[in-house]
Amino acid sequence: MKNILILSSKNGSNFEAIIKYFKNRTDINFKLLTDNKEAYVIKRAKKLGVEYFCLNKDEIKDFFLKNKFDLVVMAGFFKILDKETIETNTFINIHPSLLPKYKGLNAIEYAYVNNDLKTGITIHYANEYVDEGEIIFQKELEINPDWNLWKLEREVHKLEHYYYPRIIEKLLGLNVLVVGGGAREHVIAQKIKKSKLLDTLYLADCNDGFSSLGNKIEYTDYQNLALQAKKRNISLVVVGSEEYLSNGLVDILNKYNIKTIGPNKKFAKLESSKLFAKKIMKKYNIKTAPYKKITSAKKIDKYLSYFKNPVIKADGLAKGKGVYLSNDIDLIKRELIYYLNGKFDKSSKTTLIEERLYGDEVSLFSFWDGENLLHFPLCRDFKQNDKGQNTGGLASVCPVEIDFETNEKLNIYKGKLFELLKNEKIKTPFVVYSGLIITKDDIYVLEYNVRLGDPEAQSLLNYINNDWLEIFFMCSIKGLTFINLKENKKPFTTVVMTSKGYPDEIKKGVEIQNINSFNNKTEIYFSNIIITDGKIFSNGGRVLSVTSDNRSDIYRTLNDIVFEQKEYKILDA
Ligand code: AMP
Ligand code: GLY
């Protein structure tokens, strides 16, 4: 049980917002302390059933010397507390300005009479000085010149009531669930596990290679998973892979008021329907290859004749294998017939034929929090194997350097993407994965995904040195403007170890031995493996990945692994 004390001298609207926000949390206990027996906040405490104390100045000091709380939250508290009192507990305060501007009373009025273009709120640790102490969070508010003072106050208070409870939630330690069982989810779980903001990490559908990082949740269906998450006071769920998203996991979790990283079912279609993505790109003037939709084998010749170098793509999800590329038109035709006959079941009954584009491919990951878009450094996924087949990804690097001109084009693209997300009113926070190709004339979108890439995530999450739980959580509360990315000095590379034959037929159940990170200088992330009696066995195409900022170390690690089916891509040194 976490014990929180709220201090308020007057009205207590922040107090009420906090209590209401946490009303279903069974692991937090709130009390109120006021120095004003006439304060309206007492009425609110009675109505909300919160125990309260009304004390004078001397009693307050004595009270803190005797009582310890997990957090003391000042919410419109007008007594200045001395150093000795402040040092008894962790105190935080909220102030209606962008500190250090307008400390003290009447901060909103000052911004108003000075005709400021913007103001905002600051949440900070409190010390014995007024409105000083380390800043925890700030949020800007643009001031509309038509607003009167009353309207401005209302807008500032709205921000306070929204952000204060959520920042308190963050400070109390977060219970987080990561859903999915690939190497991508392994790195996500590893980074979250390292965060200072974490209370308890939970895992659903993890693989045996990283199950020790958290507490496993077994579930029967999404409804059941949501109920279990609620019971464990989980406040954030990071969904790793697209299947959950296109099947509506986020919609169900949101019904239970659980914050998520991942779109709802409606916008998961950006990934789960190529046709949906094409239509939305057209609407926002985003460049993509010209295409035709085909559902019947009758029109194959006619449709193929529209394209110089056709590529075929299943409309729906196909585990990253739904795109077919070949220079041989007869092979394309044959494959197209397989597609339309249901090679990927329903996913390929509708197929797109599109023009093949040539150029360098990059993956752009951008976090969307419902209001703001935070772009990460570009990554590259090495998708093709030595036979020229497309795979789910065999290696990745982050960052990828591009020239000035390409960067200008990328900025134009980023602007259009922002328009799309804003105008389509996409409220659910998620990771926009733009699969881009840089052709001679411009940047084109090859595809959208709605989650982190695998194996890009392994390189990206290591290259970015921030607290990743802070990034995920801020994304879930419209707080991304407060994140400053810290990049490592050297690029990171990931190489995937696969079973022979991948992406086609592979043999499962083969033992893998001698998995040791070379001199502890590489990270090993597991995907398709199972552990039985302490022995590790392969269980799919992509088995594990190795990540480091030093490629020779990666290959030393891979080289030492004993696995009869071992294959991996060789990148330049
Ligand atoms: P997927 O991630 O399964 O949708 O596969 C996308 C991959 O297929 C891309 O990364 C490209 O390598 C390739 N691809 C898809 N569309 C095209 C296109 N129009 N021109 C060239 N390559 C394409
Ligand atoms: N790396 C490709 C993907 O995650 O879809």
Side-chain angles (χ1 to χ4, degrees):
M1 191 57 84
K2 289 162 184 160
N3 289 303
I4 317 299
L5 183 72
I6 302 178
L7 306 184
S8 174
S9 304
K10 251 177 93 180
N11 178 322
S13 65
N14 270 310
F15 164 80
E16 180 156 343
I18 294 166
I19 299 298
K20 285 191 168 155
Y21 181 79
F22 289 102
K23 72 175 187 296
N24 292 323
R25 287 285 295 252
T26 51
D27 56 341
I28 308 180
N29 178 31
F30 288 96
K31 292 192 168 80
L32 171 73
L33 191 161
T34 180
D35 56 336
N36 174 5
K37 60 180 187 304
E38 308 295 332
Y40 186 71
V41 70
I42 295 178
K43 285 212 173 69
R44 294 192 200 252
K46 284 182 182 160
K47 191 181 80 190
L48 296 163
V50 177
E51 186 185 344
Y52 68 94
F53 314 96
C54 185
L55 305 176
N56 67 32
K57 197 171 170 205
D58 294 330
E59 291 169 331
I60 288 176
K61 180 160 187 165
D62 196 45
F63 177 86
F64 280 116
L65 290 171
K66 288 195 187 117
N67 291 287
K68 188 89 186 130
F69 296 91
D70 291 285
L71 192 65
V72 181
V73 175
M74 302 166 84
F77 187 69
F78 297 130
K79 280 250 155 21
I80 296 168
L81 301 172
D82 62 18
K83 193 164 188 289
E84 200 184 350
T85 309
I86 282 278
E87 280 172 357
T88 57
N89 279 277
T90 303
F91 285 73
I92 63 168
N93 185 36
I94 191 162
H95 187 73
S97 77
L98 296 171
L99 289 174
K101 214 171 177 184
Y102 306 140
K103 291 177 190 170
L105 294 176
N106 306 325
I108 305 177
E109 282 92 327
Y110 281 120
Y112 182 75
V113 299
N114 289 337
N115 291 319
D116 288 356
L117 297 175
K118 64 171 194 194
T119 184
I121 60 164
T122 304
I123 297 168
H124 63 99
Y125 289 107
N127 58 24
E128 68 272 30
Y129 307 107
V130 176
D131 299 327
E132 293 197 11
E134 188 194 334
I135 290 175
I136 302 167
F137 179 75
Q138 284 189 314
K139 180 77 183 177
E140 283 186 17
L141 173 68
E142 255 180 65
I143 302 178
N144 180 332
D146 296 338
W147 289 350
N148 57 23
L149 176 60
W150 178 81
K151 171 74 176 161
L152 176 60
E153 283 176 341
R154 242 183 49 168
E155 292 299 318
V156 171
H157 292 319
K158 252 205 260 177
L159 281 189
E160 291 185 339
H161 299 164
Y162 177 83
Y163 284 103
Y164 211 9
R166 288 164 176 81
I167 296 298
I168 292 169
E169 182 177 19
K170 180 184 119 171
L171 294 174
L172 290 178
L174 297 163
N175 297 323
V176 182
L177 168 64
V178 175
V179 183
R184 164 187 49 210
E185 290 79 6
H186 187 169
V187 68
I188 293 171
Q190 181 205 44
K191 296 296 171 189
I192 290 178
K193 182 76 186 176
K194 283 189 184 153
S195 168
K196 284 200 206 75
L197 305 177
L198 182 73
D199 184 315
T200 307
L201 178 62
Y202 294 92
L203 303 168
D205 293 340
C206 62
N207 71 57
D208 292 348
F210 69 98
S211 56
S212 61
L213 290 176
N215 302 342
K216 242 172 123 166
I217 299 184
E218 306 283 352
Y219 64 98
T220 50
D221 55 27
Y222 290 172
Q223 192 77 21
N224 175 262
L225 182 59
L227 275 171
Q228 294 200 56
K230 199 79 212 162
K231 215 171 77 192
R232 291 171 170 86
N233 296 305
I234 286 171
S235 41
L236 176 66
V237 178
V238 181
V239 184
S241 100
E242 60 276 15
E243 280 90 2
Y244 303 99
L245 300 165
S246 61
N247 289 329
L249 175 58
V250 161
D251 306 64
I252 293 173
L253 290 166
N254 289 168
K255 266 197 209 132
Y256 287 85
N257 263 324
I258 299 168
K259 290 184 276 298
T260 44
I261 301 296
N264 57 16
K265 194 170 171 171
K266 182 171 165 202
F267 287 107
K269 276 169 81 181
L270 268 179
E271 175 164 3
S272 65
S273 166
K274 305 267 185 207
L275 200 56
F276 178 85
K278 286 283 189 192
K279 286 182 182 158
I280 215 163
M281 283 188 259
K282 180 156 183 233
K283 185 167 168 191
Y284 292 93
N285 217 359
I286 290 172
K287 291 201 171 163
T288 179
Y291 74 99
K292 279 241 168 262
K293 162 185 137 178
I294 181 164
T295 51
S296 146
K298 278 188 224 140
K299 298 178 189 156
I300 283 186
D301 287 319
K302 184 171 152 214
Y303 273 37
L304 284 175
S305 73
Y306 295 142
F307 298 90
K308 254 194 359 236
N309 296 296
V311 174
I312 60 173
K313 289 187 172 178
D315 176 49
L317 294 178
K319 296 200 154 70
K321 295 174 189 163
V323 176
Y324 186 76
L325 301 165
S326 171
N327 294 323
D328 183 337
I329 193 72
D330 292 327
L331 287 181
I332 295 220
K333 227 164 112 173
R334 195 182 74 187
E335 199 65 18
L336 186 50
I337 293 169
Y338 289 152
Y339 271 47
L340 294 171
N341 285 339
K343 175 172 181 183
F344 297 108
D345 303 317
K346 236 177 74 194
S347 285
S348 65
K349 290 275 184 175
T350 298
T351 288
L352 307 194
I353 309 176
E354 69 174 49
E355 198 60 73
R356 183 156 180 181
L357 302 173
Y358 295 90
D360 284 339
E361 282 185 45
V362 288
S363 309
L364 171 67
F365 295 96
S366 319
F367 278 47
W368 170 249
D369 71 6
E371 270 178 15
N372 313 287
L373 195 54
L374 176 67
H375 300 286
F376 285 80
L378 291 173
C379 300
R380 174 158 293 140
D381 175 12
F382 297 82
K383 282 203 171 106
Q384 291 203 347
N385 65 10
D386 295 342
K387 290 189 223 148
Q389 283 173 295
N390 239 336
T391 72
L394 298 174
S396 70
V397 290
C398 175
V400 174
E401 300 299 334
I402 51 173
D403 60 38
F404 178 81
E405 222 176 283
T406 310
N407 197 42
E408 294 288 291
K409 289 174 186 159
L410 184 65
N411 285 336
I412 294 173
Y413 168 68
K414 287 174 177 174
K416 289 181 182 174
L417 177 61
F418 180 75
E419 283 299 300
L420 184 164
L421 295 161
K422 203 175 95 188
N423 288 344
E424 294 299 314
K425 302 194 167 55
I426 304 185
K427 298 282 180 228
T428 47
F430 75 109
V431 182
V432 189
Y433 168 160
S434 310
L436 304 173
I437 187 162
I438 305 164
T439 67
K440 271 202 240 80
D441 66 300
D442 213 332
I443 291 184
Y444 286 73
V445 175
L446 287 177
E447 52 156 355
Y448 279 119
N449 297 316
V450 292
R451 33 93 196 156
L452 285 164
D454 187 341
E456 292 99 315
Q458 293 90 302
S459 295
L460 176 69
L461 271 71
N462 279 291
Y463 177 68
I464 295 295
N465 249 333
N466 292 58
D467 181 325
W468 273 94
L469 178 50
E470 169 116 38
I471 295 177
F472 287 121
F473 187 71
M474 284 303 180
C475 185
S476 80
I477 66 163
K478 291 192 224 144
L480 281 179
T481 46
F482 200 64
I483 300 283
N484 283 316
L485 293 184
K486 296 182 212 115
E487 297 183 33
N488 249 304
K489 287 198 185 66
K490 286 172 70 187
F492 273 77
T493 300
T494 299
V495 179
V496 179
M497 190 176 96
T498 54
S499 302
K500 217 171 275 166
Y502 173 78
D504 300 325
E505 285 295 291
I506 54 107
K507 193 169 151 194
K508 291 185 185 180
V510 179
E511 192 175 355
I512 312 167
Q513 288 167 302
N514 205 35
I515 304 178
N516 296 304
S517 168
F518 175 76
N519 279 352
N520 283 325
K521 289 203 299 210
T522 61
E523 297 287 347
I524 298 170
Y525 300 109
F526 290 100
S527 28
N528 286 299
I529 57 122
I530 33 183
I531 302 181
T532 314
D533 300 330
K535 289 182 179 173
I536 302 179
F537 297 93
S538 65
N539 194 38
R542 295 195 291 182
V543 173
L544 55 82
S545 35
V546 182
T547 303
S548 168
D549 61 3
N550 180 324
R551 286 197 185 166
S552 3
D553 290 346
I554 293 177
Y555 287 109
R556 283 184 180 121
T557 297
L558 283 165
N559 195 40
D560 288 349
I561 295 175
V562 178
F563 175 45
E564 175 203 296
Q565 299 288 310
K566 180 167 72 173
E567 273 188 349
Y568 50 81
K569 193 175 184 73
I570 307 288
L571 302 175
D572 300 337

